[in-house]
Amino acid sequence: MPARAECVSLGPDSDLPFPMIDSVSAALFARAERVLPGGVNSPVRAFRAVQGTPVFISRASGAYLYGADQTRYIDYVGSWGPMLLGHAPPNVVAAITEAATRGTSYGAPTEGEVLLAERLIALYPSIEKLRAVSSGTEATMSALRVARGFTGRDLIVKFEGCYHGHADFLLVKAGSGAATFGVPDSAGVPRATAENTLTLPYNDTNALRHLFETRGKDLAAVIVEPVVGNMGVVPPEPGFLETLVELCTSHGAVSIFDEVMTGCRVAQGGMQARVGLRPDLTCLGKIIGGGLPLAVYGGRRLLMDRVAPLGPVYQAGTLSGNPIAVAAALATLDRLDEALYARLEAKGARLQHGLELALSKTGLDACVQRVGSMFTVFFAKGPIRCWEDAKRCDVQRFARWHGAMLARGVYWPPAQFEAAFLSDAHSDDDLTKTLTAAEEAFAESV
Ligand code: KE4
């Protein structure tokens, strides 16, 4: 264990000076940077978007993270979405522990995988068959391969500001003008790969309709975050998702809802349940794995029966349907009911109202956008409808606000273009403390 921090580090419930950013994390980060690119195993964790030093976490419980120096933080990252129940829910920990005593991986089918598939199919009527994988990236990559294999077409459509994982053909940004050939958004992505991905503005139903009118017969799929979390929280405008599904159906393209973040977050049945739509394919992840590496893609039997070994679309995975991840998933699903979502909605509404009230006292150009228990404080005048709106944000002011929140024991996503998440473990007192910290931090970042 690293030496204890020299600085005074206190949790949000102390009445002494707010905690410093702890030196234990700083020392760990210096070591990490020598052996991990950027010191992290996923870029956003490096706090570069807020010009900060990442807090190294030693443990988590309920609504709280504990830094390497044991400073307690009220957590609004929730592992980027999975921790709907809060950290280390006892029933999930017990299920993981029990499963581990029976082995960690078999590479063979198990009853648990069948149970999980049956439970998810019951929650998502659009899913007739599914395949478990180990990450959201695998889920979206595989769903798009199925769409291309089924249609025999190459072109796929995504929306600016949406993120679907790091498969080459999804790390693409809009070329000049709307719906032109994509250009790579990462080194290492061949231009030829990017050119098969067209990018449109989110919520731009007219642009989508025009694309189908001109290129509809060439389109394999349209993939969408039905509520965007990855440019900050941007809800779909009325008719956008409905038109997307209709146009796909009428032109023989595959509609794909990437519900890796929204699945079991905005409703048990995801955003498709809230809007009453049935996309051809759905990707789920994060919450359904209970914090373990598990995601799924699934949908119409006609499509899924194209997947190996039944059909010609190849997809495989050593740890797909891992028994411990499946045990965590089943234990998590056991806790989902309408009362839980009612509690999350009430907490989300209280937090949004409190943040908006605090903002109203500052005159800051900022807005709060929320769907259920996922939300974002945008440092720009709202509404934020698409990436063109989102990129107007004052990211430096967000960074100052983030640092002021962290110093007050509130752990907010370290990037403006991310979603924050509430859990069932956040108490009224946690929300009160958060709103007090936010009001002070807004005043500091004016
Ligand atoms: P993973 O491969 O990271 O499990 O899932 C990719 C993915 C797919 N679809 C959506 C809608 C997603 O939000 C994600 C991953 N989300 C990010 C947070 N914005 C994960 C955090 C990270 O990259 O470290």
Side-chain angles (χ1 to χ4, degrees), residues 41-45 77 79-82 134-140 162-166 170 223-231 258-262 283 285-286 293-295 417-419 421:
N41 280 313
S42 198
V44 70
R45 302 177 190 174
V77 174
S79 182
W80 304 99
S134 299
S135 71
T137 293
E138 274 192 273
T140 58
C162 290
Y163 175 70
H164 304 288
H166 62 87
L170 288 168
I223 187 167
V224 68
E225 288 186 61
V227 175
V228 187
N230 286 291
M231 61 173 122
D258 175 355
E259 298 227 41
V260 167
M261 189 182 288
T262 54
C283 302
K286 294 184 189 275
L294 186 144
F417 306 119
E418 293 286 356
F421 301 98

Side-chain angles (χ1 to χ4, degrees), residues 36-227:
L36 300 170
V40 291
N41 280 313
S42 198
V44 70
R45 302 177 190 174
F47 274 44
R48 287 183 172 231
V50 292
Q51 296 95 45
T53 299
V55 177
F56 276 61
I57 304 304
S58 61
R59 62 190 174 95
S61 176
Y64 311 123
L65 294 174
Y66 293 83
D69 71 334
Q70 298 315 305
T71 295
R72 193 186 80 171
Y73 298 91
I74 303 173
D75 179 23
Y76 287 95
V77 174
S79 182
W80 304 99
M83 310 327 293
L84 185 81
L85 305 177
H87 292 283
N91 75 307
V92 176
V93 172
I96 292 168
T97 306
E98 191 281 328
T101 64
R102 291 185 281 111
T104 57
S105 178
Y106 317 131
T110 63
E111 181 185 8
E113 292 163 88
V114 179
L115 278 172
L116 178 60
E118 290 169 344
R119 295 276 296 270
L120 290 173
I121 287 168
L123 281 176
Y124 291 82
S126 68
I127 299 178
E128 295 175 321
K129 275 189 178 178
L130 62 82
R131 169 65 61 82
V133 291
S134 299
S135 71
T137 293
E138 274 192 273
T140 58
M141 175 177 72
S142 306
L144 285 160
R145 186 179 304 138
V146 169
R148 283 170 157 163
F150 177 74
T151 61
R153 303 173 183 177
D154 293 339
L155 290 185
I156 61 175
V157 182
K158 72 179 288 291
F159 296 91
E160 283 175 293
C162 290
Y163 175 70
H164 304 288
H166 62 87
D168 273 4
F169 47 78
L170 288 168
L171 293 180
V172 168
K173 61 189 171 191
S176 57
T180 55
F181 291 125
V183 294
D185 199 16
S186 164
V189 174
R191 176 172 289 278
T193 301
E195 289 182 346
N196 279 319
T197 303
L198 301 176
T199 305
L200 290 176
Y202 192 78
N203 273 324
D204 191 335
T205 303
N206 290 334
L208 183 62
R209 194 180 298 284
H210 178 68
L211 176 62
F212 270 94
E213 284 164 1
T214 54
R215 307 289 303 268
K217 64 180 177 30
D218 302 324
L219 302 180
V222 179
I223 187 167
V224 68
E225 288 186 61
V227 175

